[in-house]
Amino acid sequence: MKHNLRKNLQRLRDYDEDVYNDVMKSNPRSWCRAFYKIDGECCEDVENNTIESFNNSIGKAREKPVLPMLETIRRLAMTQISLRKTKASNHPSKFTPYVQKILDEEHEDADICTIWPGTSGKFEVETVWDSERVNMTDKTCTSCKWDITGIPCVHAYGVILKRNLDPDDYVSDWFLTTRWRGTYNEAMIPLRVAGHWSRGDISLVGIPLEPPQPGRKKNRKKQKRKKGLNESPSKKKKNKRKNLKRKTQESPKKTQPKRTMHCKKCGGAGHNSRPCAKRAKRGHGKACASQVDQDS
């Protein structure tokens, strides 16, 4: 199978280099059967079909409240286990129907293969598309399918048919009907209605407390926020400053002497530049301080 992987990858590379690079980015060792970990569990399926089937069966139960939903799921599981127990008890073969289904699918290709015997239970098996080495003593094949699944592959089944061997002697014990029946020996116990259930020391579930809402806290007086150095003072502080300024202006003790204004144009004291500007417009030129006083 490793050889088939390399051959198919080379064919893909010859067809399109970009597609080959995209496939190699996904690390083919993680999804190629040739690199599966062989640990004796005899399972080649890597998917979530069981979970999808379970989710499909509890579709109507999800619409119910929590307790009725769990009770519906419990009854469905209990009924399904009972049906599987009856089916396993009535199965007459040594191995499960799954094994017979796989062997029936491989029978046509295994019947036309060619085998060459070797020593120590080893055989070279040639099919229409490839040839592999089979070890009937160790129950292994270079295709790795027999090692992973625990069920004879096409090459091993071809040796079994050509040598008139019993296929049941080369199937893993994981597929025994006795183990299948033992899986459903202990199932869920039927229960009475909720009124007959025993009560424990745990208190009943009540209404949960209202969670704290986001926003400003109500206890503003107790927890006042301190402003930073660069922040503007509050309105109360501004009003206090204004009141202090008024008090200082009204009190005679702290009054400051008035400034004597001077004109920028004539340099006279006691007036500004506006009267001088008016005199200049009338054609009298610059006005001195005495003239401004007379006009006023």
Side-chain angles (χ1 to χ4, degrees):
M1 186 168 292
K2 296 179 182 179
H3 173 69
N4 293 335
L5 174 66
R6 290 192 294 268
K7 182 172 64 176
N8 293 329
L9 288 176
Q10 186 61 38
R11 290 176 57 189
L12 181 63
R13 189 171 189 175
D14 296 339
Y15 174 75
D16 194 329
E17 185 74 22
D18 295 335
V19 176
Y20 170 80
N21 294 332
D22 292 339
V23 171
M24 297 306 295
K25 289 179 183 178
S26 62
N27 189 13
R29 290 177 176 268
S30 61
W31 48 262
C32 179
R33 187 180 295 174
F35 300 100
Y36 274 18
K37 183 180 179 181
I38 302 173
D39 49 9
E41 294 181 356
C42 300
C43 181
E44 63 173 339
D45 297 330
V46 183
E47 79 281 317
N48 59 346
N49 291 344
T50 305
I51 299 174
E52 296 293 338
S53 178
F54 176 76
N55 291 334
N56 187 30
S57 62
I58 63 172
K60 295 182 178 180
R62 289 180 174 180
E63 302 174 358
K64 301 180 180 181
V66 177
L67 190 60
M69 178 189 68
L70 295 176
E71 283 295 290
T72 304
I73 295 174
R74 180 186 63 81
R75 292 190 181 102
L76 288 173
M78 184 174 62
T79 304
Q80 188 67 22
I81 291 173
S82 178
L83 295 175
R84 294 289 181 89
K85 174 66 177 177
T86 304
K87 184 178 179 180
S89 301
N90 297 332
H91 186 64
S93 301
K94 180 180 179 181
F95 291 96
T96 61
Y98 177 75
V99 176
Q100 190 61 40
K101 178 183 177 181
I102 298 297
L103 294 179
D104 291 342
E105 293 176 354
E106 296 175 348
H107 188 278
E108 183 177 355
D109 294 331
D111 194 26
I112 60 175
C113 67
T114 306
I115 66 171
W116 288 274
T119 58
S120 303
K122 297 178 182 178
F123 294 85
E124 181 182 346
V125 181
E126 183 180 4
T127 58
V128 177
W129 59 89
D130 206 351
S131 63
E132 302 290 345
R133 182 175 65 254
V134 178
N135 191 332
M136 301 301 292
T137 304
D138 298 337
K139 297 180 181 180
T140 58
C141 178
T142 52
S143 66
C144 298
K145 184 178 180 181
W146 193 8
D147 308 50
I148 297 170
T149 62
I151 303 174
C153 58
V154 176
H155 315 94
Y157 195 35
V159 176
I160 291 172
L161 293 177
K162 300 296 182 180
R163 293 286 176 168
N164 295 324
L165 302 175
D166 188 2
D168 292 346
D169 296 337
Y170 298 95
V171 180
S172 175
D173 294 341
W174 287 104
F175 299 98
L176 288 171
T177 304
T178 54
R179 292 200 177 190
W180 185 27
R181 294 169 184 169
T183 305
Y184 303 106
N185 280 336
E186 297 182 2
M188 298 180 180
I189 302 174
L191 301 177
R192 304 175 71 182
V193 294
H196 297 277
W197 295 354
S198 60
R199 295 184 178 273
D201 299 334
I202 302 175
S203 59
L204 298 176
V205 179
I207 300 175
L209 299 176
E210 184 178 357
Q213 300 297 328
R216 299 179 65 182
K217 296 182 179 180
K218 295 182 179 180
N219 299 329
R220 299 175 186 174
K221 295 182 179 180
K222 296 181 179 180
Q223 298 179 356
K224 289 185 177 180
R225 189 179 69 86
K226 294 182 180 180
K227 291 192 175 183
L229 298 174
N230 299 325
E231 289 183 321
S232 60
S234 61
K235 292 182 179 180
K236 293 182 179 180
K237 291 183 178 180
K238 288 182 179 180
N239 295 332
K240 288 182 179 180
R241 291 181 181 179
K242 288 182 180 179
N243 295 332
L244 289 173
K245 285 183 179 180
R246 290 176 183 175
K247 290 180 181 179
T248 54
Q249 290 176 0
E250 293 175 357
S251 60
K253 295 181 180 179
K254 298 182 180 180
T255 56
Q256 296 179 359
K258 295 183 179 180
R259 290 179 57 188
T260 303
M261 66 176 63
H262 291 78
C263 180
K264 293 181 180 180
K265 291 185 177 182
C266 65
H271 70 280
N272 54 15
S273 60
R274 290 181 182 179
C276 292
K278 291 180 181 180
R279 298 284 297 177
K281 285 182 180 180
R282 294 173 186 174
H284 297 289
K286 289 186 178 182
C288 62
S290 60
Q291 289 176 349
V292 173
D293 293 337
Q294 292 175 1
D295 293 337
S296 60

